[in-house]
Amino acid sequence: MEGRVGVVTGGGKGIGLAIARKLRSQGAAVVVTGRDRDALDAFVAETTAAGGRALAVVADMGKAGEADRVCAATLAAFGKADYLINNAGITRDGLLVRMSDEDWDAVLDTNLKGAFRAIRAFTRSMMKQRWGRIVNITSVIGLIGNAGQANYAASKAGLIGLTKAVAKELASRHITVNAVAPGFIETAMTEALGESVRAGLQAQIPLGRLGSAEDVAHAVAFLCSEEAGYVTGQVLPVDGGMVM
């Protein structure tokens, strides 16, 4: 990935941070976005210390205009963008009959509309260079649904449809568009669930363990690589066999 530039939304922590570190480890310059300035600055500092190049852009991808601002900052700093990883996402869980319009809209605006806006913003420069990799981070919940997460499931399922439609639109410009669907991943959220709940989750996974953020990052790096140049419009579950 030497000479390439990657953009990771929601790149300050968790899966996004693991992806950003993976791209950096392979030689790419990395732009990270998020709402936590300290987390983003920490990534830039560790990247600079390692001899790499990085840029932090504080942004809420659920708001209009933010994707265009991130794109402008990326092009100003590095002159191009080769990889776009749409990872920014939120949850507002609740039973359907009690879910407010505000909770529905907040999740769809960030998880789905935010990705749409980012793709729209960055595609222009990718089309000019006739090369690009777009990877959307969806979820197994978008494939199988989950009680109490109607808004989240709808946003992640919508992201799969967006992936396939855009893949068809951009294929002639040598831009691939794929999605990675993580299963249950070790994060701060799963750590807080308690041992009995975690054991129940693991029982649903054929490989018998929760995944790591690095497991997801490895899949993303493959889809960004030259070796994946003939892969587009696909959804790759990284779930230990759970959906299977």
Side-chain angles (χ1 to χ4, degrees):
M1 294 185 175
E2 292 290 339
R4 298 293 191 186
V5 178
V7 179
V8 184
T9 69
K13 58 189 68 174
I15 290 173
L17 178 58
I19 293 169
R21 284 171 169 163
K22 181 68 175 180
L23 298 183
R24 178 188 68 196
S25 74
Q26 297 196 4
V30 184
V31 178
V32 288
T33 81
R35 292 179 291 180
D36 185 339
R37 163 62 75 180
D38 291 341
L40 300 178
D41 286 345
F43 172 77
V44 172
E46 72 175 44
T47 299
T48 302
R53 298 183 299 158
L55 173 69
V57 183
V58 177
D60 181 347
M61 300 306 290
K63 294 183 178 179
E66 292 289 79
D68 290 331
R69 185 169 63 82
V70 171
C71 182
T74 300
L75 298 181
F78 299 114
K80 64 172 183 172
D82 299 294
Y83 316 130
L84 170 62
I85 316 302
N86 284 307
N87 171 73
I90 64 171
T91 58
R92 294 287 188 274
D93 296 349
L95 295 176
L96 177 68
V97 294
R98 299 176 184 169
M99 186 174 290
S100 66
D101 285 1
E102 290 75 19
D103 284 346
W104 175 273
D105 290 343
V107 171
L108 271 292
D109 283 349
T110 297
N111 299 8
L112 182 55
K113 200 169 186 178
F116 153 69
R117 288 169 171 157
I119 293 170
R120 183 177 62 185
F122 281 95
T123 291
R124 295 184 181 94
S125 64
M126 289 183 179
M127 289 176 69
K128 288 179 181 178
Q129 68 190 28
R130 298 187 66 82
W131 198 95
R133 299 282 190 264
I134 298 171
V135 182
N136 297 318
I137 307 302
T138 179
S139 169
V140 295
I141 302 305
L143 294 169
I144 63 175
N146 195 35
Q149 290 192 305
N151 48 3
Y152 185 76
S155 71
K156 293 301 187 178
L159 201 51
I160 291 170
L162 177 66
T163 297
K164 292 178 179 294
V166 176
K168 290 184 176 181
E169 286 192 27
L170 300 181
S172 64
R173 298 300 182 99
H174 307 290
I175 300 169
T176 66
V177 188
N178 293 286
V180 171
F184 293 124
I185 305 298
E186 292 274 12
T187 63
M189 185 181 301
T190 55
E191 287 176 5
L193 291 176
E195 287 303 315
S196 61
V197 176
R198 286 168 58 86
L201 294 178
Q202 288 181 196
Q204 303 177 47
I205 303 170
L207 286 181
R209 69 172 177 87
L210 273 64
S212 70
E214 288 71 26
D215 289 326
V216 180
H218 295 325
V220 171
F222 166 68
L223 291 173
C224 287
S225 71
E226 294 285 356
E227 288 83 356
Y230 202 55
V231 180
T232 196
Q234 302 305 305
V235 181
L236 176 58
V238 180
D239 63 355
M242 188 183 76
V243 169
M244 171 188 68

